[in-house]
Amino acid sequence: MSYPVITIDKAKIEHNSRTLSKLLKQQGMRLVGVAKGVCAHPAVVEAMVSGGASAIGDSRIDNLRRIREQGYQGETILLRAPGPSQCDEAVLYADTSLNSEITTVKLLGEAASKAGKMHKVILMVDLGDLREGVMPEQAADVALEFERISGIRLVGIGTNMACYGGVIPTAEKMRLLLQVKTEVEQCIGRPLERISGGTSANIKLVLSGQMPQGITELRIGEGILLGTEAVERKPIPGCFRDAFLIKAEVIEVKTKPSKPIGEIGQDAFGNVPVFEDRGHRRRAIVSLGQQDIDPSALFPCGKGIEILGASSDHLICDVEEAGCPVNVGDILEFGLTYGTLLKAFTSPFVAKEVLKGAG
Ligand SMILES: *Cc1c(COP(=O)(O)O)cnc(C)c1O
């Protein structure tokens, strides 16, 4: 095996996908599996689909193209609105996209007509998180504009929260989305088939049984991949949180002072570090860095091992109180949260390994 490596347990991902798709189904919603956290890795996408995800979403067209090329036949959803320059590609690889700009949707319509396709559009409504979407009071007018564009079909409205502003998707916010739906339907004179209520940040609402009737789908990445909801990062009952693990090699072990010696200036990333003097401590350097992981989203599996920090290519761990002695050449294992998942799958230096016998 080459290191560093991120291991993928397909059976656990499939299990999480099944658990969440059942949970959503009980409340009248379908599960859209979101693959961007793993750069749409084919094994992960496969596990999401076999667990019950009825469509695959990603924010990058490149990822959707790869999913298609690997033979996925189901619906693909582009989660980040395409730029005007990307509309030809967008209609080739995405069946549906989330949009908020009339200019772009007109270009999508032209591209789809040219390609002999009908591209589905979900109009995004901003319920206060202040990332993408039209303000609620403008939704009906914009929807009417979309309705007049040929080559596209407005299939519904959606929202995204807890991403930029950290605004929590409450039952009240969901009711507001349903109110916007009614206004849009009255304005365009026909019902909308899809109401896309949000992300892993909505799972808490679903678990508490307070999701209002009428939301038809959620777009879930983190919940399936890491088994956590995204408001308080609490575990989802019945889901695995360790479908992914990082393994990396120890390249130096030495006892050193815990406080650097000399005048302290900026570190590799422009921050001025502060150190507590804990005397001499045994430390291990692991060949992983900020290019591969986010040290604040990485958790040693070994007892008594503590992450001190990371530069671009060196992860420094305190192993003074490690349960087992740590030596050069040892392989250390780490659990992870979203920041590291994203970086590890994006880094060409981290090998990706699908576990054998795990589905
Ligand atoms: C990333 C993203 C999601 C999935 O978010 P998770 O928190 O991983 O579930 C859903 N919708 C949009 C628009 C996104 O950008």
Coordinates of all heavy atoms in Angstrom, one line a residue, residues 32-37 57-59 78-81 98 124 131-132 159-163 196 198-203 218-225 228-230 233 338, ligand 1:
V32 N -31.2 12.9 -2.6 CA -30.2 13.2 -3.7 C -28.9 13.0 -3.0 O -28.6 13.7 -2.0 CB -30.4 14.6 -4.2 CG1 -29.3 15.0 -5.2 CG2 -31.8 14.8 -4.9
G33 N -28.0 12.1 -3.5 CA -26.7 11.9 -2.9 C -25.7 13.0 -3.5 O -25.7 13.1 -4.7
V34 N -25.0 13.7 -2.6 CA -24.1 14.7 -3.1 C -22.7 14.2 -3.0 O -22.2 13.8 -2.0 CB -24.3 16.0 -2.3 CG1 -23.2 17.0 -2.6 CG2 -25.7 16.6 -2.5
A35 N -22.0 14.2 -4.2 CA -20.7 13.6 -4.3 C -19.5 14.5 -4.3 O -18.3 14.0 -4.4 CB -20.7 12.8 -5.6
K36 N -19.7 15.8 -4.1 CA -18.5 16.7 -4.2 C -17.5 16.6 -3.2 O -16.3 16.8 -3.4 CB -19.1 18.2 -4.3 CG -19.6 18.6 -2.9 CD -20.3 20.0 -3.1 CE -20.8 20.4 -1.7 NZ -21.8 21.5 -1.7
G37 N -17.9 16.1 -2.0 CA -16.9 15.9 -0.9 C -15.9 14.9 -1.2 O -14.8 14.8 -0.5
G57 N -26.0 14.6 -7.1 CA -25.7 16.0 -7.3 C -24.2 16.3 -7.0 O -23.5 15.6 -6.2
D58 N -23.7 17.3 -7.7 CA -22.3 17.8 -7.5 C -22.3 19.2 -7.9 O -23.0 19.7 -8.8 CB -21.3 16.9 -8.3 CG -19.9 17.0 -7.7 OD1 -19.3 18.1 -7.7 OD2 -19.4 16.0 -7.2
S59 N -21.3 20.0 -7.3 CA -21.2 21.4 -7.7 C -20.4 21.6 -8.9 O -20.3 22.7 -9.5 CB -20.8 22.2 -6.5 OG -19.7 21.5 -5.8
L78 N -26.6 19.6 -11.2 CA -25.5 20.5 -11.0 C -26.0 21.5 -9.9 O -26.9 22.2 -10.0 CB -25.3 21.3 -12.3 CG -24.1 22.3 -12.2 CD1 -22.8 21.6 -11.8 CD2 -24.0 23.0 -13.6
L79 N -25.2 21.4 -8.7 CA -25.7 22.1 -7.5 C -25.2 23.6 -7.5 O -25.8 24.4 -6.9 CB -25.1 21.4 -6.3 CG -25.5 20.0 -6.1 CD1 -24.8 19.4 -4.8 CD2 -27.0 19.9 -5.9
R80 N -24.1 23.9 -8.2 CA -23.6 25.3 -8.3 C -24.1 25.8 -9.6 O -23.8 25.1 -10.6 CB -22.1 25.4 -8.1 CG -21.6 26.8 -8.2 CD -20.2 27.0 -7.9 NE -19.4 26.3 -8.9 CZ -18.0 26.2 -8.9 NH1 -17.4 26.7 -7.9 NH2 -17.4 25.6 -9.9
A81 N -24.7 26.9 -9.7 CA -25.2 27.5 -11.0 C -24.0 27.5 -11.9 O -22.9 27.9 -11.6 CB -25.8 28.8 -10.8
L98 N -29.4 23.9 -10.5 CA -30.0 24.9 -9.5 C -29.6 26.3 -10.0 O -28.4 26.5 -10.2 CB -29.4 24.7 -8.1 CG -29.5 23.2 -7.6 CD1 -29.0 23.2 -6.1 CD2 -30.9 22.7 -7.7
M124 N -33.5 28.7 -7.3 CA -33.1 28.8 -5.9 C -33.6 30.1 -5.2 O -33.6 31.1 -5.8 CB -31.6 28.8 -5.8 CG -31.0 27.4 -6.2 SD -31.6 26.1 -5.2 CE -30.4 26.1 -3.8
R131 N -26.3 33.1 0.5 CA -25.4 32.6 -0.6 C -26.2 32.7 -1.8 O -26.6 33.9 -2.1 CB -25.0 31.1 -0.3 CG -23.7 30.8 -1.0 CD -23.1 29.4 -0.7 NE -23.9 28.3 -1.4 CZ -23.6 27.0 -1.3 NH1 -22.5 26.6 -0.6 NH2 -24.3 26.1 -1.9
E132 N -26.5 31.6 -2.6 CA -27.2 31.8 -3.8 C -28.8 31.9 -3.6 O -29.3 31.5 -2.6 CB -26.9 30.7 -4.8 CG -27.6 29.3 -4.5 CD -26.8 28.5 -3.5 OE1 -26.2 29.1 -2.5 OE2 -26.7 27.3 -3.7
T159 N -33.8 25.6 -1.8 CA -33.0 26.6 -1.0 C -31.8 25.9 -0.4 O -31.7 24.6 -0.4 CB -33.9 27.2 0.1 OG1 -33.3 28.3 0.6 CG2 -34.2 26.2 1.3
N160 N -30.9 26.7 0.0 CA -29.6 26.2 0.6 C -29.3 27.1 1.8 O -29.3 28.3 1.7 CB -28.5 26.3 -0.4 CG -27.3 25.5 0.0 OD1 -27.3 24.3 -0.2 ND2 -26.3 26.1 0.5
M161 N -29.1 26.4 3.0 CA -28.9 27.2 4.2 C -27.7 26.6 4.9 O -27.2 25.6 4.6 CB -30.1 27.2 5.1 CG -31.4 27.6 4.3 SD -32.8 27.8 5.3 CE -32.4 29.3 6.2
A162 N -27.3 27.4 6.0 CA -26.2 26.9 6.9 C -24.9 26.7 6.1 O -24.1 25.9 6.5 CB -26.6 25.6 7.6
C163 N -24.7 27.5 5.1 CA -23.5 27.4 4.3 C -22.6 28.6 4.5 O -21.5 28.6 4.9 CB -23.7 27.1 2.9 SG -23.7 25.3 2.5
S196 N -37.0 21.4 -3.3 CA -35.7 20.9 -2.8 C -35.3 21.6 -1.5 O -34.8 22.8 -1.6 CB -34.6 21.0 -3.9 OG -33.5 20.3 -3.6
G198 N -33.1 21.4 1.1 CA -31.8 21.7 1.7 C -30.8 20.5 1.7 O -30.8 19.7 0.8
T199 N -30.0 20.5 2.8 CA -28.8 19.7 2.8 C -28.7 18.9 4.1 O -29.8 18.7 4.8 CB -27.5 20.6 2.8 OG1 -27.5 21.3 4.1 CG2 -27.6 21.6 1.7
S200 N -27.6 18.4 4.5 CA -27.4 17.7 5.7 C -27.7 18.6 6.9 O -27.9 18.1 8.0 CB -25.9 17.2 5.9 OG -25.6 16.3 4.8
A201 N -27.8 19.9 6.7 CA -28.2 20.8 7.8 C -29.7 20.6 8.1 O -30.1 21.1 9.1 CB -27.9 22.2 7.4
N202 N -30.4 20.0 7.2 CA -31.9 19.8 7.5 C -32.2 18.5 8.2 O -33.3 18.2 8.5 CB -32.7 19.8 6.1 CG -32.6 21.1 5.4 OD1 -31.6 21.6 5.1 ND2 -33.8 21.7 5.2
I203 N -31.1 17.6 8.4 CA -31.4 16.3 8.9 C -31.9 16.4 10.4 O -32.8 15.6 10.8 CB -30.1 15.4 8.9 CG1 -29.8 15.1 7.4 CG2 -30.3 14.1 9.7 CD1 -28.5 14.4 7.2
L218 N -34.2 16.2 -0.4 CA -33.0 16.8 0.3 C -31.8 16.4 -0.5 O -31.7 15.3 -1.0 CB -32.9 16.4 1.8 CG -34.0 16.9 2.7 CD1 -33.7 16.5 4.1 CD2 -34.1 18.5 2.6
R219 N -30.8 17.3 -0.6 CA -29.5 17.0 -1.2 C -28.5 16.8 -0.1 O -28.1 17.7 0.5 CB -29.1 18.2 -2.1 CG -30.3 18.7 -3.0 CD -29.9 20.0 -3.7 NE -29.5 21.1 -2.8 CZ -30.3 22.0 -2.2 NH1 -31.6 22.0 -2.5 NH2 -29.8 22.9 -1.4
I220 N -28.1 15.5 0.0 CA -27.3 15.1 1.2 C -25.9 14.6 0.8 O -25.8 13.6 0.1 CB -28.0 14.0 2.0 CG1 -29.4 14.4 2.4 CG2 -27.1 13.7 3.3 CD1 -29.5 15.4 3.5
G221 N -24.8 15.3 1.3 CA -23.5 14.8 1.1 C -23.0 14.3 2.5 O -22.8 13.1 2.7
E222 N -22.7 15.2 3.4 CA -22.1 14.9 4.7 C -22.8 13.8 5.4 O -22.1 12.9 6.0 CB -22.0 16.2 5.5 CG -21.4 15.9 6.9 CD -21.1 17.2 7.7 OE1 -21.1 18.3 7.1 OE2 -20.9 17.1 8.9
G223 N -24.1 13.8 5.5 CA -24.8 12.8 6.2 C -24.5 11.4 5.7 O -24.3 10.5 6.6
I224 N -24.4 11.2 4.4 CA -24.1 9.9 3.9 C -22.7 9.5 4.1 O -22.3 8.4 4.5 CB -24.4 9.8 2.3 CG1 -25.9 10.2 2.1 CG2 -24.1 8.4 1.8 CD1 -26.2 10.2 0.6
L225 N -21.8 10.5 3.8 CA -20.4 10.2 3.8 C -19.8 10.0 5.3 O -19.0 9.1 5.5 CB -19.6 11.3 3.1 CG -20.0 11.6 1.7 CD1 -19.4 12.9 1.2 CD2 -19.6 10.4 0.8
T228 N -23.0 12.4 9.9 CA -23.3 13.5 10.8 C -24.2 14.5 10.2 O -24.2 14.6 9.0 CB -22.0 14.3 11.3 OG1 -21.2 14.5 10.1 CG2 -21.2 13.5 12.3
E229 N -25.1 15.2 11.0 CA -25.9 16.3 10.5 C -25.0 17.5 10.5 O -23.9 17.5 11.1 CB -27.2 16.4 11.2 CG -27.1 16.6 12.7 CD -26.8 18.0 13.1 OE1 -27.3 18.9 12.5 OE2 -26.1 18.2 14.1
A230 N -25.5 18.6 9.8 CA -24.5 19.7 9.6 C -24.9 21.0 10.4 O -24.4 22.0 10.0 CB -24.4 19.9 8.1
R233 N -23.3 19.1 14.0 CA -22.4 18.0 13.7 C -22.6 16.8 14.7 O -21.7 16.1 15.1 CB -21.0 18.5 13.8 CG -20.7 19.6 12.7 CD -20.1 19.0 11.5 NE -20.5 19.4 10.2 CZ -20.6 20.7 9.7 NH1 -20.4 21.7 10.4 NH2 -21.0 20.8 8.5
Y338 N -15.4 16.8 7.5 CA -15.6 17.3 6.1 C -14.3 18.0 5.5 O -14.0 17.7 4.3 CB -16.8 18.2 6.0 CG -17.4 18.2 4.6 CD1 -18.2 17.1 4.1 CD2 -17.1 19.2 3.7 CE1 -18.7 17.1 2.9 CE2 -17.7 19.2 2.4 CZ -18.4 18.2 2.0 OH -19.0 18.2 0.8
Ligands
LIG1 C1 -22.7 21.0 -1.0 C2 -24.2 21.2 -1.3 C3 -25.1 20.3 -0.8 C4 -24.7 19.1 0.2 O1 -24.3 19.6 1.4 P1 -24.0 18.6 2.6 O2 -23.9 19.5 3.8 O3 -22.8 17.9 2.3 O4 -25.2 17.7 2.7 C5 -26.4 20.5 -1.1 N1 -26.8 21.5 -1.9 C6 -25.9 22.4 -2.4 C7 -26.4 23.5 -3.3 C8 -24.6 22.3 -2.1 O5 -23.7 23.2 -2.6

